[in-house]
Amino acid sequence: MSHLLSISLGPVQDFIAAARRTADLYAGSQILQELSKHAAQFLHNKGAQLIFPADPNADGANKILAEVKDDPKQLAVETKKAVQERLLRLWDETIRKLPAEQRNLIDQARAQEQLGRFLEFYAAWAPLPKKEAYKEARLQVERLLAGRKALRDFAPTQQHDAGVPKSPLDPSWAAVIDPRQWATASIRLADGSHRPLRIKPTEHLDAISLFKRCYGVLNSDKVVDTRTMARRSWRPEAEPDERYGEDDDHIPEPQPYLAILVADGDRMGELIARQDDPDAHRGLSKTLDDFAKEARTIVPKHRGFMVYSGGDDVLALLPVNQAIACAKELSEAFRHRVKGTLSAGVAIVHYREPLSVSLQNARDAEKAAKNGGRNALAVALHTRGGSPVTVVQPWNELSWDELLEAYQNRQITRGFAHELRDLVQEWQDDMRADYLHKEALRVLARKEAHDLRIPAPTSDTPTYRKALLRFVDQLIIARFLSGIREEEHAGKSA
Amino acid sequence: MPERVLEIHALGPLLFRDGRPFSAADGTETAARSLSLPLPSTVAGFVRTQVGLAEGKGFTQEHLQNLHGLQVCGPLLARGGGILLPAPRDAVIYKQDEKPQVMKLRPFSPPEGAGCDLPEGLLPLQITQDVKPESGYNFWTAQSMTDWLLGERVIPQKIAGLPTETRVHVAMDPVKGKAQEGQLYSVAYRPLEMGENPQTYQPASLRVRLSLPNGQTPAPIGHLGGERRPVAVEVKPSLSDYWFDCPEAIKKRFAELGKGARVRLVLATPALFEHGWKPGWIEKSGNGELHLPRGLCNVKLKLVAAAVGRREPVSGWSLRENRPKRVRWMAPAGSVYFFEVMDGQPADLLESWLRPISDLEQDRKDGFGLALWGVW
């Protein structure tokens, strides 16, 4: 009899977010993709008929669903072993490109302990007596998998690390290197040249972080760092190469912010649950893969860097002034292809902010879009200091373009938002809302952007004041999104 | 020695380090993150310091050894008058028609032909609804927890826990006394207060329970957690008003139970076990062996299923050896273990109510793995 076999690999978010450099981030998501793909291919070669992903060569997805003829329990065991071996092989292949004297400085025993314990693998299976029973069987297997994942079993770790500093990226792991011996370490690229790993003297990397660093540097021709991304808002052609050797400098960027975009499909579980048979589900898998592929062309078009795109998930870095346009295009593509809606979060962050924190900001923004009713875009501004500001709007009510244009054409400056805010804050709740609107228009009349639309009152004054304060938030965010270089009198920014 | 409850009040936002190295220097993580609550060992160390300071005999090797042996049970979060407990992981809160609902996870035997890759002999938990868990239900009141442990239907209040307050600092040049270029760092503090928004915040505190040697009062002011943040310590006049004693309803229910009963263990603080996620005492339970956590030497238990969250690391700095401690992995607070009583009186298990049930004695003294018991 056939079975449905469902597999989930991890860790995902924590693993990807444990990154200091963009290359680490990229490496994390690539390694995870590589392992998932290996699991899918392994099952495919064992005669399993893949459902999600439908194509064994598709990228992304830490989740696999397949129809299998053999004993599913045995297959799960074998797949787990195959993925584990693949991880060790990938580590070997990567580390082998380090010079021998460097490689010998790695605490191999501890590294093996960490690599052996790092992967999470969960599997569940349910009988599939006939195609018509697919809907129920799929529901059964997914619920079983969720029930199995309630227990995240782990064995005690033996890293023999008393006296050894812990990894700054994941405190579950102790360092496998002494970073002071790695200051000048480099790795050999395919063309025979060497590229520095740039491990700082305080970076006590564990095996997984070291793996990511090496993997990331080997692929650094594909990676755009946060600083270059910030630069691209005023110099779209900027490339990472130009700033080699600049890493340690303290030259301030005239516009030091970049955007991180996180998006995923709304109510995907319900959409999947509507698929009546394996072939319909395969069709959906393919559609999602097509979207992921299209997303991979949309992001670079906006001078962005795609960190991860698989299924309905997107994670990308973008120049601030491209973020809205790119998000809109992704939403359109999703609507067009998948016939569903997308929720996206964009966090505007400083390029020097720790990447893990910035990434969390972007995920929180995406959550805000979901909580704001889905099918929406949330934009969150995180300046260095000051509390974050978030604005959520449904895709069909976005009103960013007008504001961005006004800033880009220098018709308004940052002072306007603050003038308006002072006005709203001074206005008492027992004063008339329409007068407040008129007063706001009078403030605007002194600027060049006369035709900017300031929201008009729809009900009482307290409500209107709240609406205007949201508009002020949007104005403040829009100045950052416009990507204009810092005006004079820097230091007074919002 | 009489047991007392100590209440710890924050005099400013606190920082509970998560084990990541952190400094303003280039290249390290320049953002310090805070755990949602301090680890038991952090609080135990703090309380012992305060006791040692009050004794005023200095911290000689001998004194240190004595202090190290002082058992400290905690920390539990308290708000207003009541204790709050970490949400049990066998409850999934979701929204239906804008109203919170609870899905109760219970062990079940999958039907013929279906299965999963759990460790041998364990049952999966049954998912009965395909829902997205609601976030923010991180702590439960003692009343909700009591009802839950008795197997009743509970809709808990939404209590997210301590808020995060991120502050950005600038590293100072110690010689010139001015800010160092580009060396910003941020610290995510946890103020000991709770509420929907700053207007409705009310103070929160941490409570621990211990036997004070010679009825002493610990030093009233000290520093807890990272960055030497100040706190005040207060000795509470009575025990049961400030602690979560085992409720009568649970005692009554357990008294009725016998062999074959199904009991549940919920961790109120993270635990350290010999087998990682799994307590080492399960196999030894009920054989009369000494050195087991309280109550477990008389009751033989069989593990049926478990809801355990992802491992959490604990390491820290050994002041004695002046170097980092080894890292160990804890089963997180709120983890739930489902047992079947093979032998003995289930009521004996309540001896370890809010007492530590970690495998090693020192971990128990540090407060790892406070137990709550219920039925299923």
Side-chain angles (χ1 to χ4, degrees):
Chain A
M1 187 171 56
S2 290
H3 282 83
L4 283 182
L5 174 63
S6 182
I7 289 173
S8 157
L9 286 173
V12 184
Q13 288 202 1
D14 294 348
F15 170 63
I16 293 176
R20 189 172 71 80
R21 317 169 64 95
T22 318
D24 298 346
L25 184 68
Y26 175 76
S29 67
Q30 287 300 305
I31 291 167
L32 195 64
Q33 271 189 351
E34 188 92 32
L35 296 176
S36 304
K37 203 193 274 189
H38 189 72
Q41 286 170 346
F42 178 83
L43 282 169
H44 176 73
N45 293 339
K46 284 271 173 183
Q49 290 173 281
L50 294 173
I51 298 171
F52 181 83
D55 175 0
N57 297 314
D59 279 329
N62 64 312
K63 203 178 146 21
I64 297 158
L65 182 66
E67 206 181 326
V68 301
K69 292 263 185 291
D70 301 336
D71 175 20
K73 188 175 182 176
Q74 187 57 30
L75 259 182
V77 171
E78 287 171 19
T79 312
K80 182 177 180 176
K81 193 160 158 266
V83 177
Q84 186 61 42
E85 281 167 5
R86 177 78 189 130
L87 171 68
L88 291 178
R89 217 164 42 241
L90 268 177
W91 155 266
D92 277 340
E93 283 165 14
T94 307
I95 295 303
R96 204 181 308 138
K97 303 207 168 96
L98 286 170
E101 67 264 29
Q102 219 60 49
R103 215 162 46 225
N104 293 337
L105 292 173
I106 301 173
D107 187 325
Q108 284 291 350
R110 190 174 303 134
Q112 291 300 322
E113 160 79 12
Q114 295 178 351
L115 292 163
R117 296 229 179 271
F118 139 80
L119 201 66
E120 291 174 16
F121 183 99
Y122 307 102
W125 49 90
L128 179 68
K130 51 183 192 295
K131 267 198 168 157
E132 294 72 43
Y134 179 72
K135 235 176 164 170
E136 293 72 34
R138 195 203 63 83
L139 187 66
Q140 188 186 23
V141 77
E142 296 306 355
R143 283 183 173 187
L144 248 173
L145 185 66
R148 187 265 173 268
K149 284 169 79 174
L151 172 57
R152 309 271 177 165
D153 47 316
F154 60 90
T157 179
Q158 305 289 345
Q159 298 182 41
H160 306 287
D161 58 328
V164 180
K166 308 302 172 260
S167 168
L169 294 172
D170 184 344
S172 292
W173 310 114
V176 295
I177 59 165
D178 180 346
R180 287 163 297 186
Q181 301 168 321
W182 286 70
T184 56
S186 60
I187 197 161
R188 197 181 64 247
L189 302 186
D191 63 5
S193 65
H194 283 74
R195 195 158 246 193
L197 293 177
R198 291 194 298 214
I199 293 174
K200 309 250 177 175
T202 50
E203 279 192 292
H204 295 275
L205 297 183
D206 60 284
I208 290 125
S209 305
L210 178 65
F211 180 20
K212 282 190 198 171
R213 176 62 52 87
C214 294
Y215 188 103
V217 171
L218 285 173
N219 290 284
S220 51
D221 52 328
K222 301 176 193 123
V223 178
V224 186
D225 59 296
T226 51
R227 184 176 190 164
T228 305
M229 198 51 80
R231 198 171 277 186
R232 278 188 182 176
S233 70
W234 53 277
R235 237 162 55 72
E237 71 284 4
E239 288 294 338
D241 278 349
E242 320 165 0
R243 44 161 295 242
Y244 259 137
E246 277 184 25
D247 196 50
D248 294 295
D249 71 7
H250 288 282
I251 306 164
E253 289 288 328
Q255 196 295 107
Y257 287 86
L258 73 143
I260 302 186
L261 179 144
V262 173
D264 81 341
D266 296 326
R267 301 188 193 281
M268 292 307 289
E270 287 170 27
L271 181 59
I272 291 168
R274 284 203 293 275
Q275 310 304 316
D276 289 319
D277 62 70
D279 291 328
H281 195 163
R282 270 184 204 107
L284 177 61
S285 306
K286 195 167 171 318
T287 308
L288 287 174
D289 194 36
D290 289 342
F291 164 72
K293 284 196 185 114
E294 188 176 348
R296 262 170 257 153
T297 65
I298 293 173
V299 168
K301 223 166 61 190
H302 293 276
R303 302 296 291 148
F305 169 62
M306 183 66 98
V307 179
Y308 176 88
S309 154
D312 59 317
D313 284 326
V314 178
L315 167 58
L317 310 188
L318 286 154
V320 273
N321 53 359
Q322 298 288 329
I324 301 282
C326 180
K328 274 206 270 194
E329 205 173 327
L330 288 171
S331 158
E332 279 303 307
F334 194 80
R335 205 161 52 88
H336 178 243
R337 282 192 188 271
V338 189
K339 314 274 181 265
T341 59
L342 195 73
S343 288
V346 167
I348 306 164
V349 294
H350 196 284
Y351 79 95
R352 291 187 78 105
E353 202 60 36
L355 201 51
S356 50
V357 173
S358 299
L359 202 57
Q360 190 53 48
N361 295 338
R363 290 201 198 287
D364 290 345
E366 189 234 21
K367 213 174 276 170
K370 292 267 186 211
N371 291 339
R374 300 192 178 87
N375 191 16
L377 171 68
V379 186
L381 170 65
H382 291 261
T383 55
R384 302 191 96 189
S387 52
V389 183
T390 307
V391 169
V392 186
Q393 290 178 331
W395 293 107
N396 55 7
E397 290 171 27
L398 291 190
S399 55
W400 292 103
D401 291 350
E402 191 189 9
L403 302 184
L404 296 188
E405 220 170 281
Y407 275 112
Q408 273 152 357
N409 300 334
R410 310 266 165 168
Q411 290 171 319
I412 47 174
T413 58
R414 71 169 137 215
F416 176 54
H418 296 283
E419 259 180 83
L420 204 54
R421 177 154 64 189
D422 290 346
L423 172 67
V424 180
Q425 277 171 343
E426 280 165 22
W427 205 264
Q428 304 296 313
D429 277 348
D430 56 2
M431 291 157 69
R432 286 176 57 165
D434 53 340
Y435 285 10
L436 174 56
H437 185 221
K438 291 243 162 62
E439 193 57 22
L441 290 175
R442 194 182 63 78
V443 174
L444 179 66
R446 297 203 302 258
K447 315 289 168 196
E448 283 171 45
H450 305 293
D451 42 2
L452 203 67
R453 273 176 302 151
I454 294 183
T458 50
S459 68
D460 57 356
T461 307
T463 317
Y464 183 50
R465 284 181 63 204
K466 277 194 199 115
L468 268 191
L469 284 177
R470 267 200 305 279
F471 180 66
V472 168
D473 281 349
Q474 208 190 343
L475 276 173
I476 291 172
I477 296 177
R479 185 174 74 83
F480 281 81
L481 281 177
S482 68
I484 50 171
R485 294 164 68 166
E486 201 58 74
E487 295 114 320
E488 278 168 48
H489 315 296
K492 275 195 208 162
S493 68
Chain B
M1 282 188 281
E3 277 199 291
R4 306 305 287 270
V5 172
L6 297 189
E7 181 146 42
I8 301 169
H9 303 277
L11 301 175
L14 303 179
L15 172 65
F16 313 128
R17 295 281 302 275
D18 65 351
R20 287 182 170 81
F22 146 73
S23 77
D26 235 7
T28 47
E29 281 275 305
T30 53
R33 281 172 268 193
S34 181
L35 300 172
S36 54
L37 281 183
L39 293 175
S41 48
T42 307
V43 177
F46 162 75
V47 170
R48 289 170 189 150
T49 305
Q50 297 310 103
V51 170
L53 285 172
E55 281 178 342
K57 294 180 191 154
F59 291 95
T60 61
Q61 205 56 36
E62 188 196 336
H63 278 111
L64 280 179
Q65 205 128 33
N66 284 341
L67 285 170
H68 208 53
L70 183 66
Q71 187 180 72
V72 181
C73 295
L76 298 182
L77 187 60
R79 180 187 63 175
I83 294 268
L84 298 177
L85 298 151
R89 285 173 197 263
D90 60 346
V92 179
I93 319 281
Y94 62 98
K95 255 194 186 148
Q96 196 169 44
D97 308 325
E98 294 307 300
K99 280 206 194 99
Q101 301 287 335
V102 177
M103 172 164 58
K104 203 190 268 187
L105 302 184
R106 287 293 174 264
F108 87 118
S109 302
E112 185 65 34
C116 59
D117 66 341
L118 275 171
E120 207 52 47
L122 289 187
L123 296 180
L125 297 174
Q126 186 166 24
I127 307 285
T128 50
Q129 304 275 333
D130 303 288
V131 289
K132 264 227 162 98
E134 278 289 302
S135 56
Y137 291 84
N138 300 331
F139 288 91
W140 286 27
T141 61
Q143 186 56 52
S144 297
M145 184 60 92
T146 306
D147 295 344
W148 186 254
L149 291 170
L150 287 166
E152 285 161 24
R153 207 179 104 86
V154 178
I155 306 281
Q157 282 176 45
K158 188 169 184 171
I159 305 172
L162 303 174
T164 303
E165 185 188 315
T166 305
R167 297 182 183 180
V168 179
H169 301 282
V170 185
M172 300 299 288
D173 183 326
V175 180
K176 296 181 194 146
K178 63 169 204 168
Q180 287 186 354
E181 181 88 24
Q183 297 221 344
L184 288 184
Y185 65 98
S186 68
V187 181
Y189 292 101
R190 296 282 184 170
L192 275 192
E193 53 191 9
M194 271 186 264
E196 282 295 301
N197 56 58
Q199 279 82 41
T200 61
Y201 276 178
Q202 47 172 311
S205 60
L206 300 170
R207 287 189 191 160
V208 298
R209 176 179 174 150
L210 77 163
S211 300
L212 283 173
N214 315 320
Q216 257 176 359
T217 309
I221 301 287
H223 300 103
L224 174 65
E227 300 282 283
R228 275 180 75 79
R229 309 294 294 177
V231 293
V233 186
E234 183 194 359
V235 184
K236 285 296 181 186
S238 78
L239 251 183
S240 37
D241 292 346
Y242 298 96
W243 198 242
F244 178 35
D245 289 336
C246 183
E248 286 306 318
I250 290 184
K251 282 188 193 158
K252 193 161 159 267
R253 175 66 76 81
F254 269 69
E256 293 160 3
L257 300 178
K259 211 168 142 177
R262 302 198 290 192
V263 297
R264 227 171 353 141
L265 162 70
V266 179
L267 296 177
T269 57
L272 283 159
F273 293 128
E274 251 170 46
H275 302 318
W277 70 274
K278 188 175 159 190
W281 45 254
I282 297 179
E283 291 123 53
K284 300 171 210 151
S285 66
N287 64 1
E289 201 176 313
L290 298 172
H291 307 302
L292 285 188
R294 283 185 186 209
L296 288 161
C297 60
N298 299 324
V299 190
K300 183 152 190 61
L301 296 175
K302 185 186 142 198
L303 184 65
V304 178
V308 179
R310 235 184 216 119
R311 58 182 164 69
E312 288 173 357
V314 49
S315 50
W317 189 269
S318 166
L319 282 172
R320 200 174 308 181
E321 297 171 43
N322 197 27
R323 60 175 196 167
K325 292 181 188 168
R326 73 184 172 107
V327 66
R328 295 196 291 161
W329 292 348
M330 311 179 288
S335 294
V336 183
Y337 297 82
F338 297 83
F339 294 106
E340 202 179 304
V341 177
M342 306 302 284
D343 212 356
Q345 293 298 325
D348 288 351
L349 293 171
L350 299 180
E351 283 177 30
S352 62
W353 178 269
L354 279 187
R355 300 281 179 188
I357 47 95
S358 290
D359 278 315
L360 296 179
E361 196 173 352
Q362 187 57 49
D363 294 333
R364 292 207 288 271
K365 285 183 172 162
D366 291 347
F368 285 104
L370 298 191
L372 297 165
W373 292 95
V375 294
W376 60 281

